[in-house]
Amino acid sequence: MKDLVVLDVSKLPLHGTGMASPTWWATCTFMLIEGMGFGLAIAVYFYLMSLAPQWPIGAPPPDLFAGACLTVLLVASIIPNILVSRWARRRELKKVKIGLLIMSFFGIVPLVFRIFEFPALNVSWDDNAYGSIVWTILGLHTTHILTDLVDTLVLTALMFSRHGDNTRRYGDVEDNCLYWNFVVIAWLPLYGCLYWVPRL
Amino acid sequence: MQEEQSGPPMDTDLDDRELESRLAKTWSTRPGFWGKIACVDHKVVARRYIFTAFVFLMLGGLLSLAMRLQLSQPEARFISPDRYNQIFTMHGTNMMFLFAVPVMEAMAAYLVPLMVGTRNIAFPRLNAFSYWIFLIGGLLLWLAFALDAAPDVGWFAYVPLSGPQYSPGKRTDLWAQMITFTELSALAVAVEVVVTVFKQRAPGMSLDRIPVLVWAMLVMSFLVILAMPAIMFGSSTLILDRLVGTQFYNPAEGGDALLWQHLFWFFGHPEVYIVFLPAVGMVSTILPAFVGRPLYGYMLLVMALITTGILSFGLWVHHMFTVGLPRLGESFFTASSMAIAVPAGIQIFCWLATLWAGKPVYKTPLLFILGFIFTFVMGGMTGVMVASVPFDTQVHDTYFVVAHFHYVLIGGAVFPLIAAIYYWFPKMTGRMMSERLGRWSFWLIFIGFHLTFFPMHILGLWGMPRRVYTYQPELPWASLNLFVSLSSLILASGFLIFFIDAIKSWRSGPPAGANPWNASTLEWATSSPPPPYNFRRIPVVSARDPFSPGNDELTVATGLRTDRREVLVTTIVEALPEARESSATDSVWPFWAAIATSIMLIWSIFSPWAVVWGSIPIAVALIGWFWPKGEAEDES
């Protein structure tokens, strides 16, 4: 078959950002998968609650302190997160490096509070179905903080390496920020379920 | 001009032969064992996927013959009750998780990039990773079977039977972890297909010009994305109940057995459409080539695909009509189960209209499509019957249901799939399959299928339950069972001829040429089999049929680099060019990541600490995978 050239694309950029980037779309798709997972966890929580004669089953509601501190931290982390994303879009390498260090910090410190959240649930995973679902929800969300933290740490190392100053890397930073926003926003309904629904 | 000469090598101003040799150098896989392991070409990976899935089909088929042997007479003693439980569990699990879903996704991974006119699937390394995960998950299950440790709790592993109390040992854990393997690989391919369709379509291929098959694969991928998390959540909580003592499914501690059924069928019903919608796409694509006229009702078909996809999430409770749910709930799910017959009906009428107005040429692919329409309509009618609660209560867990779902799954998905293999085999291998053997295999499969499965409706109405390893001679089922068992040999011989035809044609079939069926979708605009880079230049599309078979010219774009793997990224609605994006090079890291993931998943059956320690090698492999190697592909 003969080719009839009707279009020249040589002037196009070598990498698109935002909606022009396949990675951005893949990140959204993964958020859809994981959002579905969180949604199911919440559905199971309410399903079990609807069956139980009293809720929580055989335990006082979780202690509030550790969870509240973590939630404040996560919500506060949105501000530097958005800033890092903005700097990455403007390709400001020095600011991005500092911002990623800050975001690494905001990934590690919540984990410290998270360690205290598990005992604060006042129930063990194998006590009853209530214990099982709250431990699962907390565990599932912890996995998300952990994976995003590892991602952030690797990206930070990358931005300090010779590969850093590259549109592709800035795109990765933006996608990582997008994903962190998801991790934070997904936490809010989970937080409501874990700490406040038992107090209703 | 000065600037262009000093820049990287482009495909502009190169003659075809020179361009092809440069692209081949950039896109080819290195030879040798590690070259094959590292390969990320979507066609190679998809071919492996399809081949592996058909091996699993064959193994699953052998299991069904073993069951038919056992049931051919009352009180037979060929297979022990325990082994029989393993066999029917393996048959269902294998056919759904290791054959039906993977083979449909593999067809998507092969065809979608070609049909949208791009050079590789989005995230080709993820694609390679997903294949290794699928392969290892399948081997895990079959190895368990070989060691007499296969799951024995049915393909949907209902609790409490599958819980820690009634299924001690590792059999059910192996089932649950196999689910994790296959769902992981399915989700990975779904993400790739979505992004390929959204962002890598040829310039000009706006939403209303996307081939129906690509639409079908897109909807299927969204179903995978939205449905699979439910089964992953289910199998993970089941394994937690079994291994670390959570109480999700233990009613004594506030858990609930029906929760499992909800989670399973919230996945399990869309699963049927995950398998069926690609078949709709295949039929709609193949039909026009054999009736000599364009498909009737493109818009209707696409709308029906999307509607089916959405409605498929509102049907799951019809699998649970006999568990004692509120009357209102049952009525709702009866209505929604009947409603889904509407888009299915629209599809059937569009195909009939296409056939009616055309001049059908009865080659093998068309025969299988006609067989599909006939069989699927029958399966759909029994589907409408079991959507009614009183009727379902009567036939639940009997052979009537076995007959029904084999009509919709084999009739609705396997027939179109075989049609698709006959149709695209020339593209995948460069060789034609035999028309003579194709006809033999069609008639043996079609007649064998109906003789095998139609009597099961009657057996079911006569009260024969599913999943029994034998029955007593006083029951009136013996002669019909013997008839079914003998008929299954006809069905099996049809499949055997199909496999023989495929192997023979692969080795020595007549050369196919680029476009043996005079079709007008883009995969036929390149050679058979396509080169590693798929298209010499990226096609530019200006109509729903990207090119007409009679015309020897293809409108294309230039301006891509030849020294690195480059694809064109376009906008989501109108497919206007946005960027020249690089496509990942071959890498062994996906393979190592799959090995590390498999070690963690299998180890975790034996110790929960595997999740902690096993994650470290996974992280290492993933970092190795993503860390830039300073290639041209990393430039931006």
Side-chain angles (χ1 to χ4, degrees):
Chain A
M1 192 167 284
K2 272 212 320 266
D3 289 351
L4 180 66
V5 176
V6 292
L7 181 68
D8 178 16
V9 295
S10 60
K11 297 286 179 283
L12 290 177
L14 289 182
H15 178 69
T17 53
M19 283 175 77
S21 150
T23 326
W24 187 87
W25 284 96
T27 311
C28 290
T29 325
F30 277 111
M31 292 189 316
L32 191 58
I33 295 173
E34 275 138 43
M36 201 65 200
F38 285 131
L40 284 162
I42 292 174
V44 170
Y45 180 94
F46 282 107
Y47 180 88
L48 292 170
M49 185 171 129
S50 75
L51 296 178
Q54 96 264 8
W55 194 260
I57 304 173
D63 304 334
L64 289 172
F65 181 72
C69 292
L70 175 128
T71 308
V72 169
L73 263 172
L74 286 187
V75 172
S77 74
I78 293 278
I79 298 163
N81 194 45
I82 288 173
L83 284 176
V84 176
S85 180
R86 192 172 297 167
W87 293 330
R89 200 172 315 134
R90 296 198 209 120
R91 311 189 52 160
E92 298 183 58
L93 184 60
K94 202 172 276 174
K95 286 185 181 171
V96 168
K97 283 180 181 171
I98 296 167
L100 281 174
L101 287 173
I102 294 172
M103 285 315 295
S104 303
F105 169 82
F106 272 112
I108 294 166
V109 181
L111 285 175
V112 177
F113 286 96
R114 185 50 60 82
I115 293 169
F116 294 100
E117 275 191 273
F118 284 99
L121 292 172
N122 292 324
V123 65
S124 170
W125 68 85
D126 53 0
D127 284 348
N128 54 46
Y130 165 73
S132 305
I133 185 64
V134 291
W135 273 76
T136 304
I137 288 178
L138 211 52
L140 194 63
H141 191 261
T142 309
T143 324
H144 282 75
I145 298 186
L146 261 173
T147 38
D148 198 87
L149 172 64
V150 173
D151 203 16
T152 308
L153 291 173
V154 173
L155 261 181
T156 311
L158 201 50
M159 293 314 280
F160 277 92
S161 78
R162 68 189 164 86
H163 302 291
D165 197 12
N166 179 327
T167 317
R168 202 170 292 281
R169 295 292 90 73
Y170 291 115
D172 292 343
V173 173
E174 282 184 64
D175 292 343
N176 189 48
C177 293
L178 176 67
Y179 193 76
W180 181 256
N181 285 338
F182 166 72
V183 172
V184 174
I185 290 166
W187 170 245
L188 299 178
L190 298 176
Y191 172 71
C193 269
L194 292 181
Y195 290 94
W196 295 100
V197 172
R199 291 187 155 77
L200 287 180
Chain B
M1 196 62 199
Q2 202 68 30
E3 202 180 279
E4 261 182 39
Q5 273 167 357
S6 61
M10 310 287 285
D11 63 1
T12 334
D13 303 328
L14 287 179
D15 68 59
D16 291 353
R17 188 171 297 239
E18 176 65 18
L19 176 57
E20 280 169 9
S21 93
R22 287 195 193 182
L23 286 173
K25 201 164 152 252
T26 305
W27 287 84
S28 289
T29 297
R30 275 177 293 122
F33 176 74
W34 289 108
K36 286 190 172 64
I37 295 282
C39 178
V40 298
D41 182 338
H42 75 102
K43 301 179 291 298
V44 176
V45 174
R47 263 200 329 245
R48 288 175 187 167
Y49 242 118
I50 295 169
F51 180 81
T52 313
F54 270 102
V55 170
F56 287 134
L57 171 74
M58 206 152 52
L59 291 170
L62 291 175
L63 292 181
S64 61
L65 288 180
M67 286 188 282
R68 281 325 312 174
L69 176 68
Q70 169 67 14
L71 293 178
S72 59
Q73 60 190 79
E75 302 275 23
R77 289 283 175 272
F78 300 110
I79 298 170
S80 72
D82 175 63
R83 200 59 170 173
Y84 191 86
N85 288 350
Q86 290 184 48
I87 289 179
F88 73 67
T89 304
M90 283 291 292
H91 173 75
T93 305
N94 173 81
M95 290 307 202
M96 291 309 273
F97 295 106
L98 300 179
F99 168 66
V101 176
V103 83
M104 290 304 182
E105 291 208 303
M107 294 298 278
Y110 191 94
L111 292 170
V112 165
L114 285 164
M115 292 183 105
V116 302
T118 186
R119 284 184 170 157
N120 205 348
I121 199 164
F123 313 110
R125 288 183 183 177
L126 185 64
N127 196 31
F129 171 80
S130 86
Y131 172 72
W132 300 121
I133 288 285
F134 160 62
L135 178 67
I136 298 168
L139 291 177
L140 173 71
L141 187 71
W142 278 95
L143 201 65
F145 184 68
L147 298 173
D148 202 22
D152 53 357
V153 289
W155 86 279
F156 38 61
Y158 274 3
V159 290
L161 176 61
S162 62
Q165 197 180 351
Y166 296 98
S167 288
K170 293 292 169 202
R171 289 180 171 186
T172 307
D173 301 319
L174 286 161
W175 179 86
Q177 221 50 332
M178 183 282 314
I179 296 286
T180 311
F181 275 92
T182 52
E183 308 310 88
L184 186 58
S185 67
L187 283 165
V189 179
V191 169
E192 296 151 26
V193 170
V194 167
V195 178
T196 308
V197 177
F198 276 6
K199 294 310 290 177
Q200 290 187 203
R201 302 199 308 274
M205 188 182 277
S206 48
L207 288 182
D208 59 340
R209 291 177 187 158
I210 297 180
V212 182
L213 181 83
V214 175
W215 267 115
M217 294 303 191
L218 180 68
V219 178
M220 178 267 280
S221 301
F222 272 108
L223 293 192
V224 169
I225 285 168
L226 296 173
M228 297 266 175
I231 185 71
M232 282 186 93
F233 193 89
S235 67
S236 306
T237 46
L238 177 63
I239 216 167
L240 286 174
D241 264 19
R242 296 175 51 84
L243 297 179
V244 298
T246 55
Q247 311 284 2
F248 284 102
Y249 304 112
N250 179 9
E253 294 293 348
D256 183 42
L258 282 189
L259 173 61
W260 170 262
Q261 297 195 21
H262 281 295
L263 284 172
F264 188 89
W265 291 115
F266 185 77
F267 141 82
H269 202 82
E271 166 93 338
V272 175
Y273 294 92
I274 288 169
V275 178
F276 173 63
L277 292 184
V280 171
M282 289 166 179
V283 172
S284 308
T285 311
I286 299 171
L287 203 50
F290 293 92
V291 299
R293 57 148 290 149
L295 183 68
Y296 175 81
Y298 170 91
M299 215 50 146
L300 279 171
L301 270 166
V302 172
M303 289 301 154
L305 279 169
I306 297 171
T307 314
T308 312
I310 294 168
L311 285 177
S312 72
F313 283 97
L315 306 177
W316 82 93
V317 171
H318 74 208
H319 296 268
M320 302 164 61
F321 279 158
T322 56
V323 302
L325 292 169
R327 183 73 59 82
L328 182 69
E330 291 188 340
S331 308
F332 174 84
F333 283 96
T334 292
S336 62
S337 306
M338 291 187 172
I340 205 158
V342 175
I346 290 175
Q347 290 156 6
I348 301 277
F349 282 115
C350 285
W351 296 323
L352 290 180
T354 310
L355 273 166
W356 192 279
K359 292 192 184 65
V361 182
Y362 295 97
K363 295 218 164 143
T364 309
L366 185 61
L367 290 179
F368 273 103
I369 286 177
L370 296 176
F372 149 75
I373 293 177
F374 180 77
T375 312
F376 179 70
V377 167
M378 283 181 71
M381 299 218 276
T382 52
V384 175
M385 288 161 80
V386 290
S388 137
V389 178
F391 188 87
D392 184 72
T393 311
Q394 188 67 30
V395 299
H396 186 83
D397 263 346
T398 70
Y399 264 83
F400 188 90
V401 177
V402 177
H404 160 70
F405 68 69
H406 281 91
Y407 264 77
V408 282
L409 288 172
I410 298 185
V414 178
F415 281 17
L417 177 71
I418 299 178
I421 296 291
Y422 271 92
Y423 182 73
W424 278 293
F425 191 88
K427 184 49 66 185
M428 294 180 181
T429 64
R431 294 179 187 280
M432 301 296 288
M433 286 176 81
S434 156
E435 194 53 38
R436 192 171 56 89
L437 290 179
R439 280 164 191 277
W440 271 102
S441 84
F442 168 72
W443 286 111
L444 287 172
I445 289 177
F446 183 75
I447 294 169
F449 172 84
H450 283 278
L451 293 181
T452 305
F453 289 100
F454 190 81
M456 289 189 190
H457 291 114
I458 300 163
L459 279 171
L461 292 174
W462 287 352
M464 181 168 168
R466 296 167 72 173
R467 304 190 202 93
V468 287
Y469 81 101
T470 196
Y471 49 92
Q472 285 66 49
E474 339 35 297
L475 293 163
W477 305 329
S479 50
L480 214 49
N481 266 304
L482 180 62
F483 180 80
V484 166
S485 293
L486 291 174
S487 306
S488 70
L489 293 175
I490 304 178
L491 177 59
S493 66
F495 274 102
L496 184 66
I497 290 181
F498 165 71
F499 286 126
I500 290 172
D501 188 11
I503 293 166
K504 260 183 66 178
S505 309
W506 189 8
R507 296 167 60 150
S508 58
N515 190 0
W517 311 113
N518 284 326
S520 57
T521 35
L522 278 176
E523 77 275 26
W524 304 106
T526 182
S527 60
S528 309
Y533 46 87
N534 286 356
F535 298 95
R536 189 169 51 218
R537 297 183 180 90
I538 301 292
V540 175
V541 175
S542 56
R544 190 167 294 152
D545 283 334
F547 71 102
S548 48
N551 190 347
D552 205 30
E553 254 175 9
L554 184 69
T555 50
V556 295
T558 58
L560 292 177
R561 277 166 63 171
T562 55
D563 65 326
R564 66 170 205 162
R565 296 187 180 183
E566 215 166 67
V567 295
L568 204 53
V569 168
T570 54
T571 56
I572 186 164
V573 177
E574 293 180 300
L576 303 171
E578 271 183 314
R580 296 183 283 146
E581 185 61 75
S582 63
S583 177
T585 51
D586 290 7
S587 164
V588 289
W589 284 110
F591 175 73
W592 292 121
I595 295 285
T597 310
S598 305
I599 290 173
M600 189 273 270
L601 288 177
I602 296 172
W603 186 9
S604 72
I605 298 176
F606 300 94
S607 161
W609 287 104
V611 178
V612 177
W613 303 118
S615 296
I616 295 167
I618 300 178
V620 171
L622 290 180
I623 292 168
W625 175 341
F626 289 109
W627 195 267
K629 315 286 188 295
E631 300 162 313
E633 277 74 11
D634 200 41
E635 289 168 26
S636 63

